[in-house]
Structures are given as structure tokens and as C-alpha cells.
Amino acid sequence: QEVARYQRGLVRGAVKEWRDYSRRLMESPFRMWFVWMDQRKRKRADQDRLVTAYTRTKHRKFLWNIIRGWRHQAVYGRIAGLYSRNDLMKSLTEQKQQCKMMEQEMTSYMSSVNQMNLLLEENTKKVKETEELLRKKEEKARELRMAMHHCEQEMVKMQSLVDCVQQVHPAVAKHVEELQGELLRK
């Protein structure tokens, strides 16, 4: 009985381990995927919250500037004196900085364009050289095909000559074949 109890305990333990193993095997990758997706969703929600807060702030400032302009125009009849000297100087310095940055970018773009033009010219030269080389090779191939065709016709002519000699003088043809065999062995 004790052996049976021990065996049943072993079987229960093995079955429990087998179930736990299969659960770990299936749940672990899906758990990692769930955690990864949850982190992405939270990050996306945080980003959306920041973007909406920023756009609301920009919209509120825009509306405030419009209302301030209307109020200033209602009181003074014009908007020209609405901006202070500091605001104007600040916008002027910002525009100067932007102009300098644009000039720097323009010079870098111009150098890039010049380099690309040089590369284009080099590649155009290479293409022309390659086309010329291809044309020469095609011409050489045409010449070789013509020479091969001429050689084939000469072979046919010589074979017909040998056939005629063999019909007229069989002994001479046999002697020529023996000489040809000796030449091929050397």
C-alpha cells in the first residue's frame, strides 16, 4: 500500500509538472507580448495627452491674442502699438537666426548639388565608355561569327572534295586518312 501511495504521488507530481511546463511554455510568450503592448499603449496615451495639452495651449494663446487685438482696436482704434519694443526685437533676432540657418543649409545643399553633378558627369562618362566597349565587343563578335561561318563553309567544301576524291581514287583517300590519323596522334 505504501508503494502504491508513493507511486500515485509520483504520478500526481509528474502530471502536475507536465501541466505547469505546458502552461509556462504557452503563457510566457503571450505574457511578454501583453506587457510589451501594454507599455506601448501607455506610452501612446502619454504622447497623445502631451500633444492635446500643447495644442490646447497654442489655441488658447491664439484666441487670447485675437481678443487682445480686438480690445486694443476698440480702445485705441488701431493695432500698430500692440506689440512692445522687446517683442519686436525678439522677433527680429529670431528672424536673423533663421536667415543664418537657412543660408548655412543653402550652402550645404549647394555643395551637395555640386557633388551630385560631378558624380553625374563621372557616371555619364563611364556609361559612354561602357557603351563604346560594348559596341566594340559586339563588332568583334560579329566578325568572329562571320569567320566561323566562313570556316564551316570551307569545311563543307573540303569534305565534298574528299568525298569526290574517295569516289574517284579510293587508294589515295585511304592514304590521306592514314596520314590524318598520324597527325592527330602527334
Side-chain angles (χ1 to χ4, degrees), residues 148-164:
M148 204 165 64
H149 179 69
H150 180 69
C151 287
E152 287 174 355
Q153 291 205 354
E154 284 294 320
M155 284 175 53
V156 168
K157 194 166 49 170
M158 287 296 157
Q159 185 63 39
S160 66
L161 184 68
V162 167
D163 290 341
C164 289

Side-chain angles (χ1 to χ4, degrees), residues 18 51 56 80 83 97 99 172:
W18 180 74
V51 167
R56 275 197 321 255
Y83 300 103
Q97 288 175 350
C99 285
V172 173

Side-chain angles (χ1 to χ4, degrees), residues 164-181:
C164 289
V165 168
Q166 191 172 12
Q167 287 177 357
V168 175
H169 301 292
V172 173
K174 186 177 179 183
H175 182 67
V176 168
E177 286 178 6
E178 288 174 1
L179 285 176
Q180 185 179 9

Side-chain angles (χ1 to χ4, degrees), residues 18 55 62 91 111 158:
W18 180 74
T55 54
F62 178 72
S91 67
S111 67
M158 287 296 157

Side-chain angles (χ1 to χ4, degrees), residues 123-137:
N123 285 338
T124 306
K125 288 178 185 176
K126 286 180 182 177
V127 165
K128 286 181 182 177
E129 291 172 359
T130 307
E131 286 175 350
E132 182 65 25
L133 183 65
L134 180 65
R135 188 189 59 77
K136 286 180 181 177
K137 288 192 178 193

Side-chain angles (χ1 to χ4, degrees), residues 94-112:
E94 287 176 359
Q95 287 179 358
K96 283 183 179 179
Q97 288 175 350
Q98 286 178 354
C99 285
K100 285 181 182 178
M101 286 175 39
M102 288 173 64
E103 286 176 2
Q104 291 172 352
E105 288 180 8
M106 186 181 69
T107 56
S108 69
Y109 290 148
M110 289 301 292
S111 67
S112 297

Side-chain angles (χ1 to χ4, degrees), residues 5 7 17-18 25 35 42-43 53 61 64 68-69 72 76 84 98 102 105 110 116 118 132 141 146-147:
R5 240 184 272 137
Q7 290 293 328
E17 284 295 319
W18 180 74
L25 191 64
V35 169
R42 287 182 186 188
K43 185 178 178 181
K61 281 185 178 183
W64 170 249
R68 189 175 73 162
H72 194 275
Y76 299 108
S84 68
Q98 286 178 354
M102 288 173 64
E105 288 180 8
M110 289 301 292
M116 286 182 197
L118 291 174
E132 182 65 25
M146 291 300 288

Side-chain angles (χ1 to χ4, degrees), residues 45-58:
D46 291 342
Q47 288 175 347
D48 289 344
R49 235 185 340 270
L50 282 173
V51 167
T52 54
Y54 177 74
T55 54
R56 275 197 321 255
T57 304
K58 291 297 277 185

